[in-house]
C-alpha cells in the first residue's frame, strides 16, 4: 500500500497511535517513531489497510488515467469502498454548469450531515478534511460565478469551523466584502485575524480598494504604506499609466505562490477584478500615492530577483526570471522620472554608451519618454546618435 496521499498518512498515524500509543512515554515519541517507519519505507509492516485508504488510493490512481471509461470505473470503485469519498463523487458530476452547481450543492448537504457525526474541530482532524475541501470548492465555484451571497455564507462557515483557516477562507471573505463595498465588515475582519494582517498583501489589497472606493482615504493612505512595506514587488503595478492586465490575468490564476510576491498581488486583484477594472479613479489614486512616496520607499533593495514560478507557460516564457536593479543606483538614469527610468531600464539602456544607438526622435517615439527625459539624459552625459 502506498502512503502518497496526505490524508492516508494521517489515517496511518492515527492507527499507529491507537495500536501502539501506550508503548511510548509520550505522543511525541510515538509520532517520531511513526515518521521513522515512514521515512524508511517500513509502514506497510505496521499499518493495516482500511477501506478509506484503499478508496483514496483508487482516487489518486484515477487522476492519472487517460481513458475516461476506465477512470470513471475506478471512481465508482472508490465510492463503493468508501461512500464518503467526496472527491470521487465530484469527479463523476456532469452536465451544464447550472446542473453541476446544483449537484455539488446537494452533495455538500449530504456531506454536511456526515460531518456532523465527527468531532467538528476543523482541519486538524483528518476525518473532517474531505467535507471541508468539498465545502470550500463549492464556495469558490459560487464566488467565481458571482453568487457572492451564497459563497460568503459557506466561506464564513468554514472560517468559523476551522480557527486555523487552513484553506484560506478569509481571503475570499475579504474579497466579497470589497466587491460588495462593505468597508465596515472588511475593516472588522482585518482587525480580528489572529496575526498581523498589515503584513499580508492579500488582506491589505481588498481592504485598501474598498477604503478608497468608499472615501475612507485617510485610512487608505495608511494601508497603502503597509502594502509598500509588505511587498517589494508593488512597483510592477505602476510601470504604465493603467493596470497591467496581461500580468494580472496571467499570474492571477496560479495555484502556488509565495506570500507578498507579485503573484500574490495578482491573485488578490483577480479576486476583486470586477471592482478594479470599473474604476479608473482607483488606479489613478494608487499611482499618485506610489509616486508621492520617497524613492527609497518605492524601491528599497539594490538588486532583486523576481521569479514567476507559478505562471502559465505563456507568461513564464515571457518573464521567467529577470534581475531588477534599482534605477536609483544607475547614474545615467539619475533624476529621470520613474516611468521613463523603468522603461529605459527594461530596454537595457543603463549605461551612457547604450544610448549611442538611438536618435532623440527614436526615443521620443517610445511611451513615457518625453523632452524632459531627453534633457535629463543629456545632463547625465548621454550623447545620442546623429540623424
Amino acid at each position: 500500500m502506498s502512503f502518497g496521499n496526505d490524508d492516508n498518512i494521517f489515517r496511518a498515524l492515527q492507527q499507529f497511535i491507537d495500536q501502539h500509543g501506550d508503548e511510548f512515554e509520550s505522543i511525541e515519541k510515538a509520532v517520531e517513531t511513526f515518521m521513522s517507519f515512514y521515512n524508511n519505507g517500513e509502514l506497510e509492516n505496521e499499518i493495516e489497510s482500511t477501506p478509506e485508504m484503499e478508496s483514496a488510493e483508487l482516487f489518486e490512481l484515477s487522476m492519472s488515467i487517460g481513458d475516461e471509461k476506465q477512470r470513471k470505473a475506478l471512481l465508482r470503485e472508490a465510492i463503493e469502498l468508501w461512500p464518503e469519498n467526496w472527491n470521487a463523487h465530484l469527479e463523476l458530476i456532469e452536465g451544464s454548469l447550472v446542473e453541476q452547481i446544483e449537484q455539488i450543492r446537494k452533495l455538500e448537504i449530504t456531506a454536511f450531515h456526515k460531518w456532523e457525526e465527527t468531532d467538528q474541530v476543523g482541519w486538524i482532524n483528518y476525518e473532517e478534511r474531505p467535507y471541508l475541501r468539498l465545502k470550500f470548492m463549492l464556495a469558490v465555484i459560487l464566488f467565481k460565478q458571482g453568487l457572492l451571497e451564497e459563497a460568503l455564507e459557506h466561506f464564513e462557515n468554514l472560517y468559523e469551523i476551522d480557527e486555523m483557516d487552513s484553506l484560506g477562507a478569509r481571503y475570499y471573505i475579504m474579497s466579497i466584502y470589497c466587491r460588495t463595498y462593505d468597508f465596515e465588515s472588511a475593516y472588522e475582519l482585518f482587525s480580528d485575524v489572529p496575526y498581523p494582517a498589515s503584513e499580508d498583501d492579500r488582506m491589505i489589497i481588498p481592504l485598501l480598494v474598498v477604503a478608497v472606493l468608499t472615501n475612507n482615504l485617510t485610512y487608505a493612505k495608511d494601508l497603502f504604506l503597509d502594502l509598500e512595506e509588505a511587498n517589494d514587488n508593488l512597483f510592477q503595478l505602476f510601470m504604465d499609466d493603467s493596470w497591467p492586465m496581461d500580468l494580472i490575468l496571467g499570474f492571477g490564476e496560479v495555484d502556488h505562490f509565495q506570500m507578498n510576491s507579485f503573484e500574490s498581488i495578482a491573485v488578490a486583484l483577480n479576486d476583486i477584478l470586477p471592482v478594479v477594472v470599473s474604476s479608473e479613479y482607483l488606479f489613478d489614486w494608487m499611482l499618485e500615492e506610489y509616486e508621492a512616496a520617497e524613492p527609497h520607499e518605492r524601491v528599497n533593495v539594490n538588486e532583486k530577483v523576481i521569479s514567476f514560478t507559478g505562471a502559465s507557460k505563456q507568461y513564464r516564457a515571457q518573464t521567467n526570471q529577470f534581475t531588477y536593479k534599482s534605477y536609483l543606483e544607475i547614474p545615467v538614469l539619475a533624476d529621470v522620472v520613474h516611468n521613463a527610468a523603468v522603461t529605459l531600464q527594461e530596454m537595457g539602456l543603463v549605461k551612457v554608451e547604450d544610448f549611442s544607438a538611438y536618435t532623440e526622435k527614436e526615443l521620443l517615439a517610445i511611451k513615457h519618454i518625453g523632452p524632459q527625459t531627453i534633457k535629463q539624459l543629456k545632463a547625465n552625459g548621454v550623447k545620442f546618435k546623429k540623424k
Side-chain angles (χ1 to χ4, degrees), residues 10 21 34 60 62 77 112 150 159 205 232 275 277 304:
F10 281 101
F34 172 88
E60 293 292 327
S62 73
E77 186 179 349
F112 170 74
E150 185 180 355
Y159 192 60
I205 289 172
D232 291 334
V275 173
V277 299
K304 175 187 307 181

Side-chain angles (χ1 to χ4, degrees), residues 26-39:
S26 67
I27 292 294
E28 289 75 15
K29 286 291 185 182
V31 172
E32 183 180 331
T33 301
F34 172 88
M35 293 307 300
S36 176
F37 284 138
Y38 173 73
N39 292 330

Side-chain angles (χ1 to χ4, degrees), residues 233-338:
N233 300 287
L234 189 61
F235 71 93
Q236 293 179 77
L237 285 182
F238 305 112
M239 295 174 70
D240 208 334
D241 55 5
S242 61
W243 296 110
M245 295 306 300
D246 54 345
L247 293 179
I248 292 173
L249 294 174
F251 297 115
E253 296 290 337
V254 296
D255 294 325
H256 304 287
F257 54 88
Q258 290 184 340
M259 179 179 175
N260 294 327
S261 60
F262 182 75
E263 292 99 324
S264 62
I265 293 176
V267 168
L269 290 173
N270 242 338
D271 286 344
I272 56 173
L273 204 57
V275 173
V276 169
V277 299
S278 66
S279 176
E280 184 178 349
Y281 168 79
L282 173 66
F283 179 84
D284 287 348
W285 185 92
M286 292 179 66
L287 178 59
E288 287 183 9
E289 288 300 307
Y290 178 75
E291 291 183 335
E294 292 297 325
H296 67 274
E297 292 178 342
R298 289 204 304 265
V299 184
N300 56 13
V301 292
N302 181 46
E303 190 167 14
K304 175 187 307 181
V305 176
I306 301 159
S307 177
F308 300 113
T309 54
S312 64
K313 290 182 179 179
Q314 174 187 357
Y315 289 94
R316 188 183 299 121
Q318 294 174 359
T319 58
N320 184 25
Q321 191 177 59
F322 62 92
T323 299
Y324 178 86
K325 185 175 182 181
S326 169
Y327 64 79
L328 300 172
E329 303 296 326
I330 301 175
V332 73
L333 299 181
D335 298 321
V336 173
V337 296
H338 170 72

Side-chain angles (χ1 to χ4, degrees), residues 143 171-172 175-176 179 202 252 266-274:
F143 175 83
Y171 296 121
Y172 287 95
S175 296
I176 292 173
R179 287 173 62 171
R202 289 186 66 198
V267 168
L269 290 173
N270 242 338
D271 286 344
I272 56 173
L273 204 57

Side-chain angles (χ1 to χ4, degrees), residues 76-108:
R76 294 190 183 97
E77 186 179 349
I79 293 171
E80 186 176 350
L81 277 170
W82 180 35
E84 296 172 34
N85 189 332
W86 310 122
N87 288 332
H89 284 282
L90 279 170
E91 288 296 320
L92 289 172
I93 287 177
E94 297 178 331
S96 68
L97 178 60
V98 173
E99 291 170 336
Q100 288 182 47
I101 290 176
E102 186 57 32
Q103 291 178 67
I104 299 173
R105 284 172 173 149
K106 292 178 179 178
L107 184 62
E108 190 274 333

Side-chain angles (χ1 to χ4, degrees), residues 49-57 78 80-82 85:
S49 181
T50 66
E52 291 88 345
M53 291 179 179
E54 293 174 12
S55 177
E57 285 191 7
E80 186 176 350
L81 277 170
W82 180 35
N85 189 332

